[in-house]
Amino acid sequence: QVQLVESGGGLVQAGGSLRLSCAASGSIYSINFMGWYRQTPGKQRELVAAFTSTGTTNYDDSVKGRFIVSRDNAKNTVWLQMNSLKPEDTGVYYCNADVRTTYYGQIQHFWGQGTRVTVSS
């Protein structure tokens, strides 16, 4: 199996910064998509930023210019640098990875446990 372990959430004032990290471990042959989703009460989990299977980055419009996603393929780790945080960025951030566990295996989807980000005004 594959585990995604997130860290870096917390409480910050508006305008501040936080850096989230997500490390994947376990039976990993390759990782395609790897990114971050955010969930707030009453809303569906939404994509914030990610590396796509082609290696390009994808950002939600609400975070463009403020958040930066980066990845270390050798360490199976993805980071999310969040700058100029706003109260509306508050939520639980989940790491997601599409993983092939063997050469012939199908891609499986894994989620981290979530890390809470709270931005006070």
Side-chain angles (χ1 to χ4, degrees):
Q1 275 297 337
V2 174
Q3 298 80 39
L4 302 181
V5 178
E6 301 140 337
S7 62
L11 172 65
V12 64
Q13 288 189 332
S17 298
L18 283 174
R19 190 182 193 220
L20 307 182
S21 67
C22 172
S25 62
S27 181
I28 299 172
Y29 175 78
S30 65
I31 298 178
N32 292 3
F33 176 96
M34 197 169 188
W36 294 92
Y37 286 73
R38 175 174 63 206
Q39 187 157 28
T40 54
K43 295 181 66 176
Q44 287 188 332
R45 198 172 293 187
E46 58 183 2
L47 178 65
V48 175
F51 274 93
T52 69
S53 59
T54 59
T56 59
T57 54
N58 188 19
Y59 294 93
D60 183 77
D61 286 343
S62 66
V63 307
K64 284 181 180 177
R66 300 187 298 121
F67 291 12
I68 300 171
V69 63
S70 58
R71 177 176 174 178
D72 185 329
N73 291 332
K75 295 181 179 180
N76 293 326
T77 300
V78 65
W79 294 272
L80 183 65
Q81 177 67 42
M82 304 186 294
N83 301 319
S84 301
L85 282 160
K86 304 175 181 179
E88 51 263 43
D89 295 320
T90 294
V92 180
Y93 285 69
Y94 293 90
C95 178
N96 172 259
D98 291 349
V99 179
R100 194 183 301 274
T101 57
T102 64
Y103 180 80
Y104 295 105
Q106 293 191 359
I107 293 175
Q108 301 178 57
H109 310 290
F110 295 93
W111 291 93
Q113 79 282 1
T115 184
R116 183 171 298 277
V117 171
T118 304
V119 184
S120 62
S121 57

